[in-house]
Amino acid sequence: MPNLLLELRSEEIPARMQRKAAGDLKKLVTDALVEAGLSYEGAREYWTPRRLALDIHGLTARSADVREERKGPRTDANEKAIEGFLRGAGLSSISEAQVVSDPKKGDFYVAVISKPGRATEEIVAEVMPGIIRDFPWPKSMRWGKASSAPGALRWVRPLQSIVCTFGPEHEETTVIPFEIDGITASNITYGHRFHAPEAIMVRRFDDYAASLERAKVILDAERRKDIILHDARDIAFANGLELVEDEGLLEEVSGLVEWPQVLMGSFEEDYLSIPSEIIRLTIKTNQKCFVTRKQGEDTLSNRFILVSNIEASDGGKEIVHGNGKVVRARLSDALHFWKRDQGNLPDLETLAASAAKFGLDLQKPLDQRMAKLDALDVTFHAKLGTQGARVARIRALAQKLTAVTGADAALTDRAAVLAKADLRTEAVGEFPELQGLMGRKYAALQGENASVAAAIEDHYKPQGPSDRVPEDKVAITLALADKLDTLTGFWAIDEKPTGSKDPFALRRAALGVVRILLERGIRLPLLATTRDGDLLSFFHDRLKVYLRDQGARHDLIDAVLTPEADDLLMVARRVEALTAFITSEDGKNLLAGTKRATQLLAAEEKKGTVIADGVSPALFKLDAERELFAAISSASKDAANAVAGEDFRSAMEALSKLRGPVDRFFEDVLVNDEDAAIRANRLALLRLIREATGTVADFSKISG
């Protein structure tokens, strides 16, 4: 079957846009072809800095013929109905319609609409201009004289050529020459901008990819990444070092080069006095280079790895020299930031009031930065006040939480006061992603307690499902206070997440609270802490997500989680115990018996059947009734005691003793006895089963 090759070649596409754009191209083209009645065996997208390419193989040569019968009005219908039928069916006169007889409905018109199939070339030429013109770039531009005309083509960067060929795998292909804004699709492309700028004629994907590689263009982005990674590892190893790997940087760099050439540069060792995190971010952000470290060590070396797009005749010496100059200049700036942050601010006399408010020591650099943050009235959010006000709220909440977490109150207070201070440091001003981490380093330099320093960094954690959870009690306390303040604040001003929109990362904050409570074994009454039932429901949603990711069944979570449950750790432990119980033989059988009892009871309640207020042993007629009543009395007491002691496994074991009596009850006893009093008493007994099991879970919500 024929294959379709498409290439859109332009000036350099921003690396961050390439992967998604190639995926968008594949979806837009294949969707349009399928909608036009074509089918294909497979499609794969490719991208480089200067091109998006699509290989669709096994594409049908033409769309199928279509025959459709459209039922119309009765033959004796009024003239307007018939005219509407003719317009909808595309018929010029009623004589073109067929008459069909129905024994019940009489005679009516039917239009037989036949649409012959179309050649794939015709379909592609028809759909491609619209796809290109309306391509969903995050940002696009116009260029050239023609760009001033209304409706002129916009593209992420100036579009230079289009390749579009179609044909069988082993025969000649044809060009589908559609045109857009003066660019006509052809079978001509171009290789590397500097190494092979000559025109290349292509027929199909195999020779297209091979020709590009000969022209110093590696089309497959994953292969470019693999080359960069392995060459970088090799050159580091050859110099007694190891590469500090960075998947995000690797993805970006592979989108900057078509012919990757890996080189090593260096900078003066004096710059290694700067924290490794700053060095790494400086070199990564400004030069898109990787850093290295000595094998088996954490500290960085003074060697960095760069990726060039040019195979230089001098072995890359000038490229390395040029990158080294820029890296040194940037590291010089970083060293300046690092030293300035450890010095005194010039306007200390203006910070006395803020220092007094927070108990700060203006002899210490980090304290000065916190005082400055407050004195400047830096806004946290227009409706939630300043950063200083927020620190005061976090500080107060953290003190209350120490009673729950067991953290040292004085250390927690000191950590809360300094937690946001590094927002006024020059290092964080240059690299915002270092907030917290730089605060920890500056805190350590001015002699803060290790728990205080750790809490300054870790109070932002966890920032995602794979991020670590704080371990130190002070850090745990501050992390909870920070996230709870964020959530209660934004809930108070009605800035809640909607759909996929969550600009303030509130879902992440709530999941962070859930993870801290569960993974660090902390019992915190959230409703009493936040005083917001709607926010508690939001925590429940995050808890469900977390527990499901841990493998818990959704029905077991629902069986345990009640709207007022605000001790999430206890909810999680109940789910864990219920999961273990319900998979046991006793659990399965008790579930079946309990569901039978609750369903029968619910049906009678719905009908308004009289149910006794309490169970009267005097009305028992059968041993099975007496046995069940005794078992429920004993199991309820044991289960309640176990629940009170938060021993949910023992509570489940207590309930498991009901299995035999419940089974025998339903084997021997007819609940709906003719005697109304006996019936009411037996229904009351079923209610006791529901109440007994309800102490640990709502069994009616458990499937199976």
Side-chain angles (χ1 to χ4, degrees):
M1 293 178 73
N3 301 328
L4 177 69
L5 169 63
L6 179 71
E7 180 200 67
L8 306 176
R9 189 179 64 88
S10 68
E11 292 187 12
E12 276 74 3
I13 305 167
R16 67 184 183 279
M17 298 184 187
Q18 293 167 18
R19 183 182 290 272
K20 182 179 185 300
D24 288 341
L25 180 65
K26 181 174 79 169
K27 186 176 191 308
L28 289 168
V29 173
T30 55
D31 284 356
L33 297 181
V34 170
E35 187 176 346
L38 300 174
S39 62
Y40 64 97
E41 293 177 0
R44 184 178 173 188
E45 72 273 31
Y46 298 86
W47 62 93
T48 79
R50 299 179 61 220
R51 67 199 80 224
L52 302 178
L54 182 60
D55 171 32
I56 303 178
H57 54 273
L59 183 63
T60 48
R62 62 183 295 112
S63 61
D65 297 338
V66 176
R67 185 179 185 277
E68 177 189 354
E69 291 189 359
R70 185 172 301 178
K71 186 177 179 180
R74 285 168 51 96
T75 54
D76 57 359
N78 61 51
E79 188 174 337
K80 286 189 176 181
I82 291 176
E83 287 177 357
F85 165 62
L86 293 176
R87 281 195 303 272
L91 302 182
S92 56
S93 84
I94 198 64
S95 63
E96 296 177 8
Q98 297 179 5
V99 176
V100 177
S101 296
D102 186 307
K104 294 181 179 179
K105 298 181 180 179
D107 295 342
F108 56 89
Y109 292 115
V110 171
V112 178
I113 305 171
S114 296
K115 294 181 181 179
R118 300 165 63 203
T120 296
E121 294 94 322
E122 180 185 344
I123 294 171
V124 171
E126 180 182 279
V127 303
M128 281 308 306
I131 289 173
I132 294 172
R133 193 175 292 281
D134 300 328
F135 200 81
W137 292 109
K139 291 184 179 180
S140 55
M141 61 180 287
R142 289 179 177 158
W143 62 93
K145 292 182 180 179
S147 67
S148 60
L153 174 66
R154 296 179 66 94
W155 195 249
V156 64
R157 294 292 183 271
L159 189 62
Q160 296 177 330
S161 68
I162 301 171
V163 169
C164 190
T165 65
F166 179 69
E169 190 173 353
H170 301 296
E171 299 175 20
E172 278 303 312
T173 57
T174 59
V175 172
I176 304 178
F178 61 86
E179 185 268 343
I180 180 167
D181 275 34
I183 303 173
T184 302
S186 69
N187 60 353
I188 301 297
T189 189
Y190 297 84
H192 193 284
R193 184 191 293 274
F194 304 111
H195 290 310
E198 300 83 12
I200 302 169
M201 187 174 73
V202 298
R203 293 183 296 278
R204 57 183 59 84
F205 179 78
D206 288 347
D207 73 278
Y208 164 74
S211 297
L212 282 180
E213 187 139 350
R214 287 193 294 272
K216 309 293 186 182
V217 174
I218 295 174
L219 184 63
D220 188 340
E222 295 303 324
R223 189 162 156 247
R224 292 198 304 276
K225 286 174 66 175
D226 191 61
I227 289 170
I228 293 168
L229 179 60
H230 284 85
D231 285 359
R233 286 172 176 169
D234 290 348
I235 196 171
F237 182 79
N239 285 272
L241 305 168
E242 64 183 22
L243 176 70
V244 178
E245 298 186 13
D246 186 325
E247 176 59 31
L249 180 59
L250 180 61
E251 173 80 9
E252 184 176 10
V253 169
S254 73
L256 297 174
V257 296
E258 291 191 319
W259 190 248
Q261 303 297 305
V262 178
L263 304 167
M264 176 174 278
S266 64
F267 54 85
E268 287 74 14
E269 291 193 354
D270 291 349
Y271 289 122
L272 294 178
S273 63
I274 306 169
S276 295
E277 295 83 0
I278 295 182
I279 294 174
R280 183 176 179 181
L281 269 175
T282 298
I283 292 176
K284 171 183 176 178
T285 304
N286 293 298
Q287 284 305 102
K288 312 303 179 190
C289 295
F290 298 86
V291 293
T292 64
R293 59 190 167 212
K294 293 182 179 179
Q295 293 179 5
E297 297 184 13
D298 292 330
T299 55
L300 298 184
S301 79
N302 67 324
R303 303 290 185 92
F304 63 91
I305 290 176
L306 63 103
V307 182
S308 170
N309 192 37
I310 298 173
E311 192 175 316
S313 58
D314 65 353
K317 291 181 181 178
E318 281 301 314
I319 296 172
V320 169
H321 176 69
N323 276 268
K325 285 177 65 177
V326 177
V327 165
R328 291 183 193 96
R330 296 298 187 183
L331 288 176
S332 177
D333 291 342
L335 182 59
H336 177 68
F337 298 150
W338 171 241
K339 290 181 177 178
R340 286 259 306 220
D341 286 338
Q342 297 173 54
N344 291 330
L345 292 173
D347 53 353
L348 291 181
E349 68 279 359
T350 66
L351 306 179
S354 293
K357 185 192 305 184
F358 290 99
L360 297 166
D361 180 355
L362 290 182
Q363 298 301 309
K364 296 182 176 181
L366 198 57
D367 291 57
Q368 295 175 21
R369 271 70 185 174
M370 178 56 217
K372 188 71 171 179
L373 185 71
D374 179 67
L376 288 174
D377 286 336
V378 176
T379 300
F380 168 62
H381 185 280
K383 295 181 180 179
L384 294 174
T386 65
Q387 287 282 8
R390 182 165 187 249
V391 169
R393 293 196 304 270
I394 292 172
R395 184 185 187 186
L397 180 54
Q399 279 303 297
K400 294 178 182 177
L401 292 176
T402 57
V404 174
T405 62
D408 180 276
L411 293 179
T412 300
D413 188 65
R414 181 64 174 160
V417 164
L418 295 178
K420 306 297 180 182
D422 69 354
L423 296 178
R424 290 304 305 166
T425 62
E426 295 195 37
V428 173
E430 181 73 9
F431 301 113
E433 55 266 61
L434 290 180
Q435 64 182 13
L437 186 146
M438 294 312 303
R440 179 177 190 163
K441 290 185 179 297
Y442 293 134
L445 284 173
Q446 68 179 37
E448 298 295 334
N449 181 281
S451 289
V452 171
I456 293 173
E457 177 182 4
D458 288 355
H459 83 280
Y460 290 107
K461 298 183 178 300
Q463 294 194 3
S466 59
D467 195 16
R468 65 180 176 84
V469 172
E471 296 181 9
D472 184 276
K473 288 182 178 180
V474 174
I476 289 170
T477 307
L478 194 55
L480 287 172
D482 179 67
K483 292 168 179 58
L484 289 170
D485 175 75
T486 297
L487 289 160
T488 54
F490 282 105
W491 243 251
I493 63 173
D494 200 27
E495 289 279 3
K496 306 168 187 175
T498 55
S500 61
K501 295 181 179 179
D502 187 9
F504 303 109
L506 301 181
R507 291 189 181 94
R508 186 176 71 187
L511 182 58
V513 171
V514 169
R515 287 191 59 200
I516 292 171
L517 296 180
L518 270 56
E519 294 179 30
R520 295 294 174 251
I522 296 170
R523 299 192 55 190
L524 177 65
L526 284 172
L527 192 55
T529 304
T530 64
R531 303 185 186 281
D532 191 316
D534 184 56
L535 180 53
L536 179 61
S537 176
F538 186 69
F539 277 116
H540 285 176
D541 290 340
R542 296 304 97 200
L543 176 66
K544 289 177 182 178
V545 170
Y546 176 81
L547 292 177
R548 284 199 294 266
D549 287 346
Q550 298 297 309
R553 282 169 39 182
H554 69 89
D555 58 322
L556 300 188
I557 300 171
D558 290 340
V560 166
L561 190 59
T562 60
E564 64 278 2
D566 72 344
D567 186 339
L568 303 190
L569 179 61
M570 290 301 100
V571 171
R573 289 179 177 172
R574 282 175 181 258
V575 171
E576 182 183 1
L578 183 58
T579 300
F581 176 65
I582 217 67
T583 54
S584 69
E585 197 62 30
D586 280 346
K588 291 176 185 176
N589 290 334
L590 179 59
L591 173 63
T594 301
K595 294 192 79 165
R596 183 177 176 184
T598 54
Q599 288 167 359
L600 196 159
L601 181 62
E604 295 303 318
E605 287 174 332
K606 189 175 182 180
K607 289 190 293 185
T609 304
V610 175
I611 303 172
D613 292 336
V615 175
S616 173
L619 292 174
F620 291 155
K621 299 294 183 183
L622 300 170
D623 290 343
E625 293 176 278
R626 299 183 185 91
E627 183 182 346
L628 178 58
F629 181 64
I632 292 174
S633 300
S634 174
S636 295
K637 181 180 178 182
D638 292 345
N641 289 336
V643 168
E646 298 170 6
D647 185 353
F648 301 112
R649 288 188 180 272
S650 294
M652 299 294 177
E653 290 175 8
L655 290 180
S656 70
K657 296 173 183 176
L658 292 176
R659 172 196 166 180
V662 168
D663 289 346
R664 280 188 288 279
F665 177 83
F666 282 114
E667 288 173 5
D668 299 350
V669 178
L670 176 64
V671 175
N672 285 321
D673 194 88
E674 293 180 358
D675 186 317
I678 293 175
R679 180 172 63 248
N681 197 55
R682 288 174 177 172
L683 288 171
L685 196 54
L686 297 187
R687 187 167 57 202
L688 285 184
I689 297 175
R690 183 171 66 186
E691 291 171 355
T693 55
T695 58
V696 292
D698 184 349
F699 275 45
S700 67
K701 293 183 178 179
I702 303 174
S703 60

